[in-house]
Amino acid sequence: MDQDIKYKLIGSDNMDILYGTNFINMIKSINPEARDASGSREVVMRCPFCGDSHNQRAAHFYISVPTNQDDLSFYDCKLCPAHGLLTDEILRKIGCSDSTAMIQLATHNARVLKLPKYKSLKKINIYPLNNN
């Protein structure tokens, strides 16, 4: 793996996504300035789209923490229109270079998006990724 990993990737024979504390640790290993928010239900960091603030304590980019293997993780910037499903492209945008984590997230999203509870979810990434 490309980074000094402080989280455990879960094998696809059990579960195919990180969630809970393991997910938080993954995000913090990608972006050490990320911190828990909302009682560890979210992780907050500077927005990779708008940059939101030079003060890390005033970050506005929130990532929801999945609580089980059938949850999705969403992101939302409180200052710009960036919000949607956390995908491998967004992981890359926030600094992830761990290809295993990105593949695992893409595989997880593909499986979970087929579940009945997400059937009505339509276009989920509204902020263009090619805005750099």
Side-chain angles (χ1 to χ4, degrees), residues 8-76:
K8 176 183 155 204
L9 291 172
I10 301 168
S12 60
D13 53 336
N14 298 332
M15 295 170 269
D16 62 350
I17 188 62
L18 304 166
Y19 59 90
T21 305
N22 221 13
F23 180 85
I24 293 170
N25 291 339
M26 178 190 72
I27 297 297
K28 286 181 176 179
S29 74
I30 294 168
N31 184 335
E33 294 181 348
R35 65 184 194 283
D36 296 11
S38 306
S40 295
R41 290 188 313 265
E42 297 177 302
V43 177
V44 63
M45 66 182 69
R46 289 188 60 217
C47 180
F49 298 101
C50 71
D52 70 32
S53 172
H54 294 294
N55 177 359
Q56 181 57 35
R57 299 301 298 172
H60 297 91
F61 188 77
Y62 289 81
I63 300 173
S64 64
V65 176
T67 57
N68 64 58
Q69 65 185 9
D70 291 336
D71 275 350
L72 293 171
S73 182
F74 295 92
Y75 65 93
D76 182 32

